[in-house]
Amino acid sequence: MKRCLLLCICLWLAGSLLHAQQPERTVDFDLTEKSPGVYRLEPQLPPLQPIPGAPAPFWRLFWELGDGNFSFEAEPTYAWPDTGTYEIHLWATGAYDNGRPPRDRPKHKRITKPRPSQYASAFPLQDVLTADAPGLALMAVREPVPEEDLLFVLSYAGTEPQAVSGQLHLFFNEQAYQARHFDFVEARTHWGEQQIPPALAMRAVMLPQNGDAAWAALDMPLSQKANRLEALEALGEARQAFRDAVAWQFAELQPGERRNLFVVLRGTPQMLADTNATIHVRAVLTPDFGQPRVYDLEMSIATGHDPNRLSVRNPRRSYRRFRKQHFDWRIQFQNDGKGPAERVQLDFFVRGMDTSRVRVQEVSPALPPCSARIRQGCYTTRWPQEDHLQIVLHDIYLPGSRQPGVRHRDSTRGHVALRLWPDPHWPKRPLRARAEIVFDREPPIRTNRASVRFRPGLSPALVAGWRARADGLQQSFPG
């Protein structure tokens, strides 16, 4: 048994070493002028390395066009509004790929012809704002992986009837985890945003602390004072929940105007300790006049770029309060087909959970539970077996990422967030889970395995014995 275990450890170390020694792959692209002032960006990509048993690998591309705009298309056509030199970034992520991801290698391109007048509105500014987040939104172009760069798109818009200035804050590295997951690398701005110390941004929204007289003397409408208090509360909560922050000052955001800010964070080596854990990055917008906005981005730490994943919140727990805790699992999926999916079946396999208590926290696409009145466009849950929970999303429309005409990749993704409670008789053993995802009648896609492990602790009897012995020694040597 020991020899078998030693052999497995050696094979794992050898595989990790070989993976680390793989040559770095590079990406490049050409810029071809199709008509005066209109260019096509054509990527040059290295071969993909399939994973045995996984779906066929493919490239997911993200173009940062250098003027605040971006594109998810494979070969986008674009016309820059003005002449000049633009720094273009191509982020290539290999889904179901076994190789090292290519690093971002920006290129500076000189544009000598401005956008033709007939194309004045043909290339609108893209953003990641949604109907649920009209003023502030945050998106990551791929999954967080240890020692890899991760690009975030931070979109914000003017929702007030007048032009406003204010501050943008990005919080990362949650206090709930011992390890720091990210290091700040850089931010690319295009509307004059200036990076400032987070403490200075916090001070910009502070109110007088000298009592009611100073508060009453403050020349500010009562509604604006309420907005300031709400902003202080949002920033205070974020500073308690996160270790690190970056902040920017912005100015003259016009009503309805949209802007993008591109932020690069680098995964730390310590991130590997929390693989398959669910983490958050938070953006906060605090305008000088107007209501503050908060956006939380939830992600799961991965070892590879697989869009179908299983993760768990706080994967390291104390066993002492095991029976009073709950466990938040998240199954995320993406339709990578060439057409839409109408039915998604999620088979969640886990042991040690109480099958009588299941709470579905969130479903995306948003669906109600099926009932006698609602039988279409809904979801069902059931336990076919003691360790098998099945969730089915009925009569939906989930576009495929390779479907013609689909530009917003987020529309091809979905997730189900579950809250489960433990079986009170479960021994002190790790809780291991996995999931399978079935789109319509396609073969099932197996996700990674996610585990909850218990931190080592001392038994109450042993601690009581140590305390009794210490008390005895103290009585023996009173001085």
Side-chain angles (χ1 to χ4, degrees):
M1 184 68 180
K2 292 183 178 180
R3 290 183 179 180
C4 182
L5 180 61
L6 182 61
L7 178 62
C8 292
I9 294 175
C10 292
L11 290 174
W12 179 80
L13 290 173
S16 301
L17 184 61
L18 287 174
H19 181 76
Q21 292 178 348
Q22 288 179 357
E24 181 180 345
R25 295 184 293 182
T26 59
V27 296
D28 202 352
F29 61 90
D30 294 324
L31 200 64
T32 306
E33 189 171 12
K34 294 299 181 182
S35 62
V38 180
Y39 302 84
R40 178 179 290 276
L41 294 92
E42 301 172 345
Q44 299 175 8
L45 303 169
L48 290 160
Q49 300 180 18
I51 301 174
F58 62 94
W59 288 110
R60 294 185 296 177
L61 302 183
F62 179 86
W63 298 87
E64 191 181 330
L65 299 172
D67 62 347
N69 212 345
F70 62 85
S71 175
F72 282 107
E73 296 183 21
E75 295 185 359
T77 298
Y78 193 65
W80 280 265
D82 299 307
T83 59
T85 301
Y86 294 91
E87 185 179 271
I88 304 173
H89 296 255
L90 172 58
W91 293 76
T93 306
Y96 308 110
D97 176 58
N98 203 25
R100 293 174 63 88
R103 284 190 177 274
D104 169 42
R105 294 183 180 274
K107 274 189 173 183
H108 292 82
K109 291 293 184 180
R110 177 71 180 171
I111 303 300
T112 58
K113 299 175 183 178
R115 180 180 297 172
S117 57
Q118 63 267 31
Y119 297 111
S121 60
F123 303 96
L125 181 72
Q126 303 294 318
D127 58 64
V128 298
L129 301 170
T130 64
D132 296 331
L136 179 68
L138 186 65
M139 184 203 70
V141 301
R142 58 192 183 195
E143 299 77 16
V145 173
E147 300 185 86
E148 286 188 16
D149 287 353
L150 180 60
L151 176 67
F152 293 87
V153 182
L154 178 59
S155 297
Y156 64 105
T159 57
E160 301 299 327
Q162 72 277 355
V164 297
S165 302
Q167 299 80 35
L168 278 170
H169 311 254
L170 184 68
F171 294 89
F172 52 97
N173 292 333
E174 291 177 88
Q175 297 280 7
Y177 293 91
Q178 294 181 356
R180 295 179 66 258
H181 294 144
F182 295 107
D183 290 325
F184 175 74
V185 178
E186 62 178 338
R188 290 183 284 273
T189 62
H190 300 277
W191 280 270
E193 297 94 342
Q194 297 293 325
Q195 185 173 338
I196 57 176
L200 182 61
M202 181 76 174
R203 201 174 301 124
V205 298
M206 292 184 68
L207 292 166
Q209 302 295 322
N210 299 325
D212 296 338
W215 172 264
L218 188 65
D219 186 15
M220 184 182 295
L222 186 60
S223 60
Q224 185 58 29
K225 293 179 182 180
N227 289 334
R228 286 288 187 93
L229 286 175
E230 187 177 348
L232 282 173
E233 183 179 354
L235 292 177
E237 290 178 355
R239 293 181 69 173
Q240 290 182 356
F242 296 87
R243 290 190 179 93
D244 300 303
V246 191
W248 299 267
Q249 181 80 34
F250 67 89
E252 294 300 316
L253 180 64
Q254 301 297 323
E257 181 185 2
R258 297 169 298 155
R259 298 176 179 178
N260 293 320
L261 191 146
F262 302 91
V263 184
V264 181
L265 301 181
R266 181 167 297 158
T268 64
Q270 295 79 16
M271 181 188 285
L272 189 63
D274 295 317
T275 300
N276 303 327
T278 301
I279 61 174
H280 294 83
V281 175
R282 181 175 299 178
V284 181
L285 184 146
T286 55
D288 294 341
F289 299 97
Q291 188 175 10
R293 296 187 179 274
V294 179
Y295 189 91
D296 268 352
L297 177 64
E298 189 173 73
M299 305 175 292
S300 61
I301 299 174
T303 55
H305 297 290
D306 185 346
N308 301 291
R309 295 198 55 78
L310 173 66
S311 58
V312 60
R313 180 75 174 161
N314 294 336
R316 287 178 288 178
R317 304 290 186 94
S318 170
Y319 187 71
R320 282 194 175 184
R321 303 188 61 208
F322 171 69
R323 293 165 183 81
K324 297 182 180 180
Q325 300 182 55
H326 60 259
F327 298 85
D328 292 332
W329 305 86
R330 180 184 174 93
I331 308 171
Q332 64 185 51
F333 51 88
Q334 181 174 22
N335 179 14
D336 292 323
K338 298 180 180 180
E342 298 180 356
R343 182 180 184 273
V344 179
Q345 177 177 312
L346 309 175
D347 293 290
F348 180 51
F349 300 91
V350 62
R351 298 183 64 188
M353 295 288 104
D354 184 355
T355 58
S356 64
R357 302 178 67 188
V358 179
R359 183 183 301 173
V360 178
Q361 298 286 91
E362 186 178 10
V363 176
S364 177
L367 297 173
C370 293
S371 64
R373 294 183 178 180
I374 304 175
R375 297 188 178 183
Q376 293 182 335
C378 57
Y379 70 88
T380 57
T381 59
R382 69 186 187 99
W383 290 89
Q385 299 176 359
E386 185 178 355
D387 60 348
H388 178 192
L389 173 62
Q390 187 176 84
I391 309 105
V392 181
L393 280 57
H394 301 272
D395 300 309
I396 65 172
Y397 184 89
L398 188 68
S401 60
R402 289 177 280 182
Q403 179 179 331
V406 174
R407 292 192 174 186
H408 295 283
R409 186 170 298 152
D410 284 349
S411 66
T412 68
R413 298 173 179 171
H415 65 267
V416 172
L418 300 169
R419 175 164 292 181
L420 301 177
W421 282 261
D423 181 351
H425 304 292
W426 183 255
K428 190 177 181 180
R429 295 204 305 265
L431 298 168
R432 295 185 174 90
R434 63 179 180 87
E436 292 182 357
I437 303 167
V438 180
F439 296 97
D440 292 333
R441 293 181 176 84
E442 296 294 323
I445 300 173
R446 293 187 176 182
T447 70
N448 57 296
R449 293 180 180 270
S451 301
V452 174
R453 299 183 180 276
F454 298 106
R455 291 190 291 265
L458 301 176
S459 67
L462 184 60
V463 173
W466 282 354
R467 288 179 178 174
R469 180 171 176 78
D471 292 341
L473 289 174
Q474 187 175 3
Q475 293 177 2
S476 300
F477 301 94

